[in-house]
């Protein structure tokens, strides 16, 4: 099945949508980096005040980095991927900005109500520990989902550019706010609150653009099974919707991706495709059933004989019946052995 050539206007529209999508990813990345740099700065600042002795400071950092490394590893291993599958892309992306807003409010409250106490250090420690954990595990998994609709040959470069430029922009903003404008850290934290509130409003837009970009990638068949190893619920839903497409190429392409993502649901997808209005799609489903020997689909395959089918398709149905349950299928297939249609007769004699 060959890909059709796109109209120049359609190509230009896709290019503009992709640029807007990448720009939104850049903004998202810059805000996340801004929060990380801020929490990192207040953490080191408060830690230096809490441990004036060099030996105590070195011992604390050794303990802290050991704990953060262990927690981050366990989070990536046990939690991050499951959260995206359980709650979806939108909720997964909201976890980090909501946590950042709570940390910013807590740090400001500790500095305002308990100045000079250890509560400020504990607030900075907790914020840094949890923000770093969420950023490197849950948010990173969610962010990688956002890059899936981008062509594989360009994805790595775009990811690299957005991460680096987003980090540079965030560093410049924080440096200008704290060092040039001389804004105290507690007030700088208040300035970041509207930024993360803005991010919460941008996330639904990003998710909507992600779905559109994913549909465009499916339409042009530019995705790969590797890029969808950890899709969110909405991504899987879109793939399942494409199974009803009127384009055979898109249907088969989506089926191949779903076979990599959820192999345990292949019988369900193949049964669904047996009722597809396009003969080519039904034939492809029959070939898959024959190849894998999906015996539980024998009744669904047999029911196709009661419908009007082309001779080639009917022969394939008979052949598939024999592969899914030879003993039970023999009485049904025997009726077509003396058919006047050569494809039907050939399918019955296999």
């Amino acid at each position: 099945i060959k890909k059709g050539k796109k109209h120049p206007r359609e190509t230009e529209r896709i290019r503009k949508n992709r640029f807007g999508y990448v720009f939104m990813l850049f903004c998202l990345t810059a805000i996340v980096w801004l929060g990380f740099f801020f929490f990192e700065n207040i953490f080191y600042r408060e830690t230096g005040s809490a441990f004036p002795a060099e030996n105590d400071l070195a011992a604390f950092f050794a303990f802290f980095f050991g704990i953060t490394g262990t927690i981050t590893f366990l989070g990536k291993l046990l939690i991050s991927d499951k959260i995206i599958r359980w709650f979806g892309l939108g909720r997964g992306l909201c976890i980090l900005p909501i946590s950042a807003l709570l940390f910013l409010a807590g740090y400001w409250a500790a500095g305002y109500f308990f100045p000079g106490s250890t509560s400020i250090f504990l607030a900075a420690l907790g914020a840094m520990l949890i923000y770093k954990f969420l950023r490197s595990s849950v948010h990173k998994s969610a962010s990688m989902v956002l890059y899936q609709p981008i062509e594989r040959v360009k994805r790595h470069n775009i990811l690299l550019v957005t991460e680096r430029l987003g980090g540079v922009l965030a560093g410049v903003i924080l440096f200008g706010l704290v060092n040039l404008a001389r804004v105290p850290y507690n007030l700088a934290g208040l300035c970041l609150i509207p930024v993360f509130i803005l991010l919460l409003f941008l996330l639904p837009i990003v998710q909507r653009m992600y779905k559109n970009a994913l549909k465009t990638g499916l339409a042009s068949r530019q995705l790969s099974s590797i890029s969808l190893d950890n899709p969110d619920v909405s991504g899987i839903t879109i793939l399942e919707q494409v199974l009803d497409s009127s384009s055979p190429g898109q249907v088969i392409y989506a089926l191949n991706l779903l076979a990599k993502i959820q192999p345990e649901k292949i019988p369900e997808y193949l049964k669904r495709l047996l009722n597809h209005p396009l003969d080519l799609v039904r034939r492809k489903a029959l070939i898959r059933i024959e190849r894998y020997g999906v015996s539980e689909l024998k009744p669904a395959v047999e029911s196709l004989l009661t419908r009007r089918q082309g001779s080639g398709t009917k022969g394939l149905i008979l052949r598939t019946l024999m592969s899914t349950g030879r003993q039970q299928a023999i009485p049904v297939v025997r009726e077509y052995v003396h058919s006047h249609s050569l494809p039907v007769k050939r399918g019955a004699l296999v």
Side-chain angles (χ1 to χ4, degrees), residues 79-89 91-92 95 138:
I79 299 176
S80 58
D81 293 346
K82 294 182 176 61
I83 286 180
I84 304 303
R85 287 185 176 271
W86 291 341
F87 299 106
L89 179 63
R91 293 187 182 93
I95 291 176
V138 177

Side-chain angles (χ1 to χ4, degrees), residues 182-193:
R182 301 293 181 181
V183 177
Y185 274 97
N186 57 342
L187 294 181
L190 290 179
C191 294
L192 292 183
I193 289 179

Side-chain angles (χ1 to χ4, degrees), residues 322-342:
M322 293 297 291
S323 68
T324 54
R326 179 173 293 271
Q327 295 300 324
Q328 297 84 357
I330 287 177
V332 178
V333 175
R334 186 182 294 135
E335 300 177 9
Y336 296 89
V337 170
H338 301 291
S339 173
H340 296 292
S341 172
L342 183 59

Side-chain angles (χ1 to χ4, degrees), residues 227-242:
S227 70
L228 291 168
D229 279 341
N230 182 33
D232 77 313
V233 177
S234 62
I236 294 177
T237 302
I238 290 173
L239 287 173
E240 291 175 341
Q241 290 173 351
V242 174

Side-chain angles (χ1 to χ4, degrees), residues 5-21:
K5 293 184 179 179
K6 294 185 177 62
H7 192 276
R9 291 183 180 178
E10 179 72 9
T11 304
E12 183 65 22
R13 184 186 65 82
I14 293 174
R15 187 181 295 111
K16 289 181 179 179
N17 291 341
R18 183 171 57 190
F19 175 79
Y21 182 62

Side-chain angles (χ1 to χ4, degrees), residues 234-290:
S234 62
I236 294 177
T237 302
I238 290 173
L239 287 173
E240 291 175 341
Q241 290 173 351
V242 174
L243 294 179
D244 298 322
S245 171
S246 59
S247 169
Q250 292 182 23
V251 174
I252 304 306
Y253 189 68
L255 178 64
N256 291 335
L257 294 177
L258 288 168
K260 295 288 185 179
I261 300 167
Q262 299 187 129
E264 70 282 357
K265 296 187 70 175
I266 282 298
E268 176 185 334
Y269 296 138
L270 292 175
K271 183 178 180 180
R272 179 173 168 181
L273 293 182
L274 288 178
N275 298 312
H276 198 279
L278 295 177
D279 182 68
L280 178 58
V281 173
R282 295 196 299 271
R283 290 174 62 87
K284 291 290 185 180
L286 288 168
I287 291 172
R288 294 288 182 94
I289 295 171
E290 180 188 13

